[in-house]
Amino acid sequence: MESIRSGPRWRRLLALPVAALACVLAGAGLSPAADQEKEAEAFVPGTSYFDEKGYIEYVAGNLPVIFTAPHGGSLTPEAIPARSSATCGPKTVTQTDLNTQDLARQIQQAFFNKTGKYPHVVINRLARSRLDANRDIGAAACGNPSAEQAWHDYHGFIDAAKADVLAEFGRGWYTDLHGHGHAVQRLELGYQLTAETLRLSDAELDAAPAHEQAASFRTFSEESPLSFSALLRGPTALGTYLTDAGYPSVPSQQDPAPQVGEPYFTGADPGYNTPRHGCADGGHICGVQIETHYAGVRRTLTDRSDFATALADVYPDFLAQFGIRIEPKAKTPPTPGDEIVVDNLNSFNDPAKARFVTSGSWVDGNNSQSHGLNFRLLSNPSAKDTAEFRFYVPTPGSYAIDAWWPTQSGRSRNVVYQIHEADGSTALAESVRDQRVDGAQWNPFGVHHFSKAGWAKVVVSQSPGATGSLAADAVRVTLTHLTPSEGVAVLAGLVGELPLDAGNARSLNAKLDAASAQFGRGNVEAGKGQLGAFINQVTAFKQAGSLSAEQARPVIEYAERVIRDAEQQTGQ
C-alpha cells in the first residue's frame, strides 16, 4: 500500500474523455510520458494511473463502488513467461475473459453519465497467460518476479481504492467482473456460497448463521433488518434487480439457485479477489463476483454499453438498503444553448436525458466517420425496422435537431428521419436524407417547437421501396429559445422544489401566474414587473431564514435570465 500511494511505483495518465482513453489504451505496451510521472498525495477522480511497467491500470473514483477486471488483459511481455499447469499447478487456467476490460470501461462511463462522478476501476492489462490476478500470488505469478510485482500492484491499487471509499463514505461495494461460457445464459452472482448452499430453503439458510458468515456481504447482512435469504434472493436482492432490468441472474427471486448439474462460479475456491476484498471476514467493503455470459452482455460494444447502463441504473437502488448512496447528477434549469446528444451507445448517454433503442437486426459498425466509438448498422432494412433516438424535453420550447451518420457507397439514399413530439405519436417533421453523402458532421434538421415536456424522439427508418443499408449514429438536440411564458413555467417548477409552506409557495406562484398572463398578452413591461416582485419576495424569504442562500440563488438567477430573454426577444 505504501509503495502504491506515496512511492514512485505508479504513473499518472492525465484525465481524458473515456472514449479517447479507450482508444489510447488499445495499443499494447502503453507507458505514460516521463514528464507525467510524479508522486501525488491523492488520486484524481477520472484519471488513470499505472504501475511502472504499464501492466496494471487504476482509474481513480469518487463514488463508493469499486470494479475490477482481472482476466481481460492482452499484454504478453517477454519478461513474464507463459503460465502452465507444469509451472503453476494442475488447475491453472489461462483463458481470457473476453471483453471484460472494455466492460469495466463502459461501466465507468455509464456511472459517470448518471452521477457526474466516477467509480473506482482496477484493470489487469496482462493476459491471463502471464498473470491470473484472481489467484493467490503463488498460482497467480508462478514465481516470476515481474508477475509477482504486478500482482502486488494490482491488489495495492484495489486497497488504495478501498481506503479512499472508507475515508469518504465509511462503506462501499466491490464488484469483480468475469466472463463465463456456461450453457445457461445468465449472470452468475458469486457470494462465496456453493450451489448446494443456494439450493437450501430460505428457512434453512436463515437458521444456520454459518451461511451468512461465509458470504461476501456478511457485514451488511448482519446489520440489515432483512433476513439473509431476502438479501440474497428476495425482492431487493441484486440478482432480482438485474433480472428485472432484462439480465437473468442467479441467485435471484426469479432464479433462486443453480439446478443440480448446472455449473456455477461461487466467487471463491479457487477465486481470490472476492474473499480478499469482500467482507466475509468483517469490514465495511462488501461485494460480489459477477460472472457474465457472452451474448447480450460482452459480445459487442453495444451489448457492453447496454449492460453497463443497466448496472448504473440498478446499483443505486440495490445499495441504498445498505446505507450506500449513489446520487444522480443535480438537476439544473434548462437554458438556451443546452445540448443533449443521444449516442447509439447508451453508456455514453445520460439516462435521465437520452436513450437509444432499435427494432430489427441492427449490428455494430465502425469506421473513421463514427460519432464516438461506433454506430449501428442495418444491412437489409425493411420499412418496419427502426432506430429511435429518445431525448427528454425538460420544458416546452424551441429546439434545434441535428443528426450524424457515417457515409458509405452502399448506404440508402432514402433514409427517413421523423421528429416526434413528447407524446410519442405527434410527428413534428419528416425529412428524407441520403446517407451516401454528408457524413462525419452534424446535419441540421431545423428548429422545432415542442409543446410538451417529456420523452420525445427522432425515428430513423428506410423509405418504402428504397434499397441500401441504414446507419444510426447520433442525434443532437439544442434548446434555442424559450418564450417568456415558457421561462416562467420553468420558474414554477423550481418553486415546487423549494422547502416552503403552502402559503408562501402560493404567493410566489401567484406572481408567476400574473407574469405569464402579462407576457401572453404582449405586455412585456408588466410581465417583467411581476417577475421583479417575485425576485423581491424570494429575497425576503432568504432574509427571513425561510430559504437558504443556496436555495434562493438559482431561483433568483433564473428569474433574472427570463427578464433578460424577454427584453432581447421583444427588443425592449
Side-chain angles (χ1 to χ4, degrees), residues 48-102:
S48 282
Y49 300 84
F50 297 85
D51 65 303
E52 284 187 321
K53 301 293 186 181
Y55 297 156
I56 309 299
E57 179 184 358
Y58 168 42
V59 188
N62 51 357
L63 287 172
V65 287
I66 303 166
F67 292 91
T68 56
H71 292 159
S74 60
L75 300 181
T76 56
E78 293 183 0
I80 304 177
R83 300 169 64 249
S84 68
S85 57
T87 57
C88 306
K91 294 184 178 181
T92 298
V93 178
T94 59
Q95 184 176 0
T96 297
D97 287 355
L98 194 62
N99 295 334
T100 52
Q101 181 178 158
D102 185 64

Side-chain angles (χ1 to χ4, degrees), residues 19 78 81 83 91 104 118 136 234 307 325 358-359 419 481 508 515:
E78 293 183 0
R83 300 169 64 249
K91 294 184 178 181
Y118 297 95
D136 64 66
F307 176 69
R325 303 294 177 186
T358 61
S359 63
I419 301 170
H481 68 272
L508 289 178

Side-chain angles (χ1 to χ4, degrees), residues 20-35:
L21 181 59
C23 296
V24 170
L25 297 177
L30 173 70
S31 178
D35 62 355

Side-chain angles (χ1 to χ4, degrees), residues 167-257:
E168 185 171 357
F169 302 98
R171 59 184 52 220
W173 188 260
Y174 168 77
T175 305
D176 201 33
L177 296 168
H178 294 264
H180 73 75
H182 298 158
V184 181
Q185 298 296 285
R186 63 187 174 188
L187 303 175
E188 297 175 9
L189 308 184
Y191 299 108
Q192 301 172 215
L193 304 172
T194 65
E196 291 77 15
T197 299
L198 294 178
R199 285 193 286 270
L200 297 174
S201 69
D202 289 350
E204 290 172 317
L205 284 173
D206 295 333
H211 301 311
E212 182 178 48
Q213 292 166 0
S216 58
F217 62 101
R218 170 186 176 177
T219 302
F220 293 168
S221 180
E222 291 177 340
E223 293 176 348
S224 174
L226 297 178
S227 67
F228 172 62
S229 62
L231 294 173
L232 184 66
R233 57 193 183 195
T236 63
L238 177 59
T240 303
Y241 278 119
L242 288 169
T243 301
D244 288 342
Y247 294 91
S249 304
V250 62
S252 64
Q253 190 172 46
Q254 301 89 337
D255 188 0

Side-chain angles (χ1 to χ4, degrees), residues 447-467:
V447 175
H448 305 275
H449 187 266
F450 290 79
S451 62
K452 301 178 179 66
W455 285 95
K457 61 186 177 182
V458 174
V459 181
V460 180
S461 62
Q462 179 77 293
S463 181
T467 60

